[in-house]
Amino acid sequence: MRQRNYLTPTLRDTPADAEIKSHQLMLRAGLIRQTASGIYSYLPLGKKVLRKVEEVIRSEMDAAGGQEVLMPAVQPAELWEESGRLGNYGPELMRLKDRHERDFVLGATHEEVITTLVRDDVKSYKKLPMNLYQIQTKYRDERRPRFGVLRSREFIMKDAYSFDTSKEGLDKSYQDMYDAYQKIFTRFDLDFRAVEADSGAIGGTDTHEFMVLSEIGEDTIAYSDQSNFAANIEIAPVRVEYTKSDEEALELELVETPNTKTIIELTSFLGVKASETIKSLLYIVNDEPVLVLVRGDHEVNEIKVSNVLGKAIVELATPEQTAKILGCETGFVGPINIPSSVTVIADQAVEFVTNGVCGANEKDKHYKNVNPNRDFAVSQYADLRLIQEGDPSPDGKGTIQFAMGIEVGHVFKLGTKYSEALGATFLDENGKTQTMVMGCYGIGVSRSVAAIVEQHHDENGIIWPTSVAPFDLHLVTINVKDEDQSKLGEELYETLKKERFDVLFDDRPERAGVKFKDSDLLGLPIRVAVGKKASDGIVEVKVRKTGEMIEVHVTELVETVKNLLSK
Ligand code: 9G3
């Protein structure tokens, strides 16, 4: 491809509103442009990278027995009513009406469509197992789209769905997809980790996320420094043997604690440790108030709270709700003498607090010498807190450390939730009707591109892994006005194309400095510069990743490039 009339609008300056490196570089290298908030166009280079990424995914999905399909982005709302999910996602699920005022949604995912397709056309165990996948645009109206294509409202996903006759069959389908994902992200040259995860509102049992390790990741991974344990902190169980101190229980005391709305303010005012305090947070769960207690040095894990309460939607009470229910400001909330309508649940660590401190449901007041079960009742003690760095690993081996991750893949065992709701059944060997057992498996395609850039760049620009680079190499004629250079450049362009290299040919009448800067920014694996030594048949080959530069005679160029690219 000749760069002269190729749409690669590079930017010298970093766009002010791009917060992270991948977003900045994808804009600067002319891969993407924003069309609306959280909605992007892909320019030719960006589209070529997408294609490369998609081809890697396709090859591994096909090798794992997947069959590619393409489902519609526009889906009838009734399908979501049938599955019972229409109300689950609020404004995140984009809706529209057709000319007959019929309700549709823009596909945020395709469990409903695929399950009805399979329901209508697969009737016998003889056709199963089956794995169907697509690469398609998805719509989710995120409250806070940001970071370019890393968190956008329209994005490209590879979604796959497996259908099995039994749980054991699902286990195998799941493992096959897990293995395929390992291969795919390895081919992207990503530093990633598969971690245990929460299945969320979608339901199901086993689930793993594939996390690209990155400081700008929005998920926290808890991993052991001495074993393979790795989980999203959303689900990482806390297994700590707490012990009761042998201190004697003292008499409950109400104390003045002016302006102590936070644990830090409170502990410095009273001169106690955070672990000696009890933090109380009021939640609204299915319209009912629930007071959740954790130790002051711990944080509530809302997913654990939700799971303990039967996967309910858990929302922190507003200041108004708190005033109405407990008659006080947030910051002084506590479990003592509260209305019986309030359910109290507590993290297991709370039970071991002796002579602790908690809010008194009165402005600027706390209780001292608080002893759980004596001074207040708890309906359930459970693991409700976030795991912390330094906690023992739940598998008993080593200590927990944190890393940040970008979720690029997610595999789920769904079971029969969707097949049951939508009636996807089959006849087994004995002619008996059975429900299909499903799994679903996603890869963020556009997000993977951003994650790759996030991990593969330097101060000068992108450094594409060969597997996903938009072109194999960048051929640059340094001075197109020089006849020798221009002639050799054109010749090499033809030769390299004949050798089936995908070449970006910088034939622009620009200054050398501009061309080299752009070349580093675009980040193709190899740069071949045709310059002053053109008349001697010598060109300069630079490896983008290492910066290594060698002079090569044109007779050896093809061989040299082949070797460098196969490395
Ligand atoms: C929605 C909206 C947002 C959503 C969903 C539905 C997440 C939703 C979970 C999944 C699960 C799997 C197929 C590929 C693998 C992942 N956010 N999820 O279902 F309507 Cl607005 O998408 N789907």
Side-chain angles (χ1 to χ4, degrees):
M1 178 57 66
R2 286 177 185 277
Q3 213 168 322
R4 199 183 279 256
N5 40 19
Y6 196 54
L7 183 60
T8 52
T10 53
L11 308 173
R12 176 143 311 170
D13 298 317
T14 302
D17 53 345
E19 296 168 67
I20 58 164
K21 277 282 176 248
S22 58
H23 188 196
Q24 295 168 1
L25 287 169
M26 289 179 76
L27 288 167
R28 287 189 54 212
L31 300 175
I32 56 167
R33 287 292 180 264
Q34 190 186 88
T35 299
S37 163
I39 300 193
Y40 288 84
S41 298
Y42 288 83
L43 303 185
L45 269 181
K47 175 63 191 170
K48 281 204 83 170
V49 176
L50 273 180
R51 251 165 72 172
K52 286 285 193 77
V53 163
E54 289 171 7
E55 282 318 307
V56 169
I57 295 173
R58 273 198 184 94
S59 72
E60 295 297 345
M61 288 303 297
D62 291 347
Q67 308 171 41
E68 188 168 1
V69 296
L70 183 59
M71 290 177 271
V74 176
Q75 309 177 3
E78 290 101 79
L79 270 184
W80 287 67
E81 246 158 39
E82 242 186 286
S83 72
R85 288 214 289 173
L86 192 60
N88 288 4
Y89 292 96
E92 195 182 340
L93 183 62
M94 290 174 142
R95 293 152 188 265
L96 69 158
K97 283 185 193 290
D98 71 2
R99 64 170 74 219
H100 306 293
E101 293 286 307
R102 284 189 281 249
D103 290 313
F104 288 84
V105 304
L106 284 181
T109 177
H110 283 70
E111 280 80 9
E112 282 77 5
V113 178
I114 197 83
T115 307
T116 47
L117 279 175
V118 171
R119 170 191 71 194
D120 294 343
D121 283 296
V122 179
K123 308 279 183 195
S124 158
Y125 73 96
K126 288 180 199 156
K127 279 276 177 201
L128 299 175
M130 191 177 275
N131 180 314
L132 300 166
Y133 78 94
Q134 65 172 347
I135 295 177
Q136 206 242 19
T137 304
K138 300 270 190 276
Y139 300 85
R140 291 179 186 178
D141 196 354
E142 297 269 347
R143 190 192 296 272
R144 225 156 82 82
R146 59 190 193 138
F147 295 168
V149 297
L150 205 59
R151 183 168 289 286
S152 54
R153 300 193 294 169
E154 178 180 302
F155 60 98
I156 302 168
M157 188 199 273
K158 186 285 299 177
D159 45 327
Y161 306 86
S162 66
F163 297 84
D164 273 276
T165 59
S166 67
K167 270 186 70 184
E168 294 67 38
L170 169 61
D171 290 343
K172 174 164 190 320
S173 296
Y174 184 86
Q175 188 62 44
D176 288 348
M177 281 296 103
Y178 186 101
D179 295 343
Y181 279 29
Q182 296 273 1
K183 290 181 193 155
I184 290 165
F185 296 121
T186 302
R187 284 175 69 178
F188 292 163
D189 220 353
L190 286 169
D191 182 17
F192 70 96
R193 193 124 188 212
V195 310
E196 295 170 34
D198 178 56
S199 60
I202 191 157
T205 50
D206 244 334
T207 170
H208 288 86
E209 288 165 337
F210 287 78
M211 294 284 196
V212 171
L213 304 179
S214 166
E215 275 175 18
I216 60 100
E218 296 178 286
D219 287 280
T220 306
I221 303 163
Y223 67 94
S224 165
D225 60 1
Q226 278 170 47
S227 76
N228 280 332
F229 177 82
N232 193 312
I233 55 159
E234 292 176 347
I235 62 119
V238 173
R239 300 236 169 80
V240 178
E241 295 282 330
Y242 299 104
T243 47
K244 193 96 186 160
S245 91
D246 44 22
E247 235 177 278
E248 205 174 311
L250 303 174
E251 199 176 322
L252 190 67
E253 195 184 329
L254 187 65
V255 289
E256 296 276 345
T257 55
N259 305 315
T260 54
K261 290 182 82 170
T262 64
I263 293 290
I264 294 181
E265 288 161 349
L266 180 67
T267 52
S268 62
F269 182 83
L270 289 176
V272 297
K273 287 187 267 173
S275 59
E276 294 165 334
T277 68
I278 296 169
K279 187 156 58 181
S280 312
L281 290 157
L282 188 64
Y283 284 90
I284 306 296
V285 182
N286 301 337
D287 291 334
E288 302 290 334
V290 176
L291 194 63
V292 179
L293 312 182
V294 293
R295 239 168 50 183
D297 58 331
H298 294 153
E299 299 297 330
V300 173
N301 180 332
E302 293 183 3
I303 291 182
K304 289 181 181 175
V305 172
S306 167
N307 287 340
V308 161
L309 299 173
K311 293 235 166 196
I313 295 171
V314 167
E315 263 177 310
L316 208 54
T318 61
E320 295 73 37
Q321 288 170 319
T322 307
K324 199 166 158 218
I325 297 161
L326 295 173
C328 82
E329 289 182 37
T330 49
F332 299 98
V333 168
I336 299 177
N337 295 331
I338 53 170
S340 59
S341 60
V342 181
T343 306
V344 180
I345 59 174
D347 181 67
Q348 50 205 1
V350 170
E351 195 163 16
F352 294 87
V353 172
T354 306
N355 298 326
V357 174
C358 73
N361 294 321
E362 226 180 299
K363 189 174 160 61
D364 293 339
K365 290 201 177 137
H366 279 82
Y367 281 113
K368 267 171 67 170
N369 300 331
V370 176
N371 289 284
N373 304 333
R374 181 194 74 177
D375 299 323
F376 60 87
V378 170
S379 69
Q380 191 181 358
Y381 287 99
D383 171 16
L384 298 179
R385 75 162 169 98
L386 287 169
I387 202 165
Q388 293 180 337
E389 277 189 297
D391 275 333
S393 178
D395 65 358
K397 296 176 209 146
T399 301
I400 287 301
Q401 314 256 281
F402 283 176
M404 303 308 287
I406 303 168
E407 181 192 343
V408 287
H410 204 155
V411 291
F412 294 81
K413 286 185 189 173
L414 285 174
T416 53
K417 179 173 163 173
Y418 294 87
S419 40
E420 220 155 76
L422 297 160
T425 58
F426 65 97
L427 293 178
D428 70 9
E429 289 96 326
N430 307 314
K432 210 176 130 223
T433 300
Q434 302 237 30
T435 306
M436 293 183 195
V437 185
M438 291 175 60
C440 71
Y441 318 92
I443 290 180
V445 176
S446 34
R447 182 180 279 191
S448 289
V449 175
I452 291 167
V453 176
E454 206 55 54
Q455 280 194 347
H456 295 273
H457 68 265
D458 64 12
E459 63 282 6
N460 298 319
I462 302 172
I463 306 173
W464 290 112
T466 313
S467 57
V468 297
F471 291 91
D472 295 324
L473 64 115
H474 205 176
L475 176 65
V476 181
T477 301
I478 295 174
N479 180 2
V480 294
K481 292 200 192 93
D482 179 293
E483 219 166 280
D484 291 329
Q485 291 186 32
S486 173
K487 188 158 163 280
L488 186 59
E490 294 288 337
E491 274 171 28
L492 291 178
Y493 182 45
E494 292 310 317
T495 310
L496 289 163
K497 276 198 298 182
K498 259 197 211 107
E499 291 288 334
R500 306 206 144 260
F501 290 113
D502 196 8
V503 185
L504 182 63
F505 179 28
D506 189 351
D507 58 347
R508 297 174 303 164
E510 295 285 349
R511 285 183 295 112
V514 171
K515 292 185 153 210
F516 285 148
K517 271 210 158 60
D518 277 351
S519 182
D520 280 349
L521 181 58
L522 299 192
L524 302 179
I526 292 169
R527 183 184 81 196
V528 177
V530 182
K532 291 217 170 77
K533 293 188 180 167
S535 49
D536 305 325
I538 290 176
V539 295
E540 184 193 71
V541 176
K542 181 184 164 192
V543 180
R544 177 69 181 88
K545 188 170 168 183
T546 59
E548 178 193 355
M549 277 206 251
I550 41 169
E551 288 194 335
V552 175
H553 195 268
V554 289
T555 52
E556 267 135 44
L557 182 62
V558 168
E559 205 49 37
T560 305
V561 172
K562 267 188 195 155
N563 287 336
L564 287 173
L565 284 176
S566 64
K567 257 197 265 190

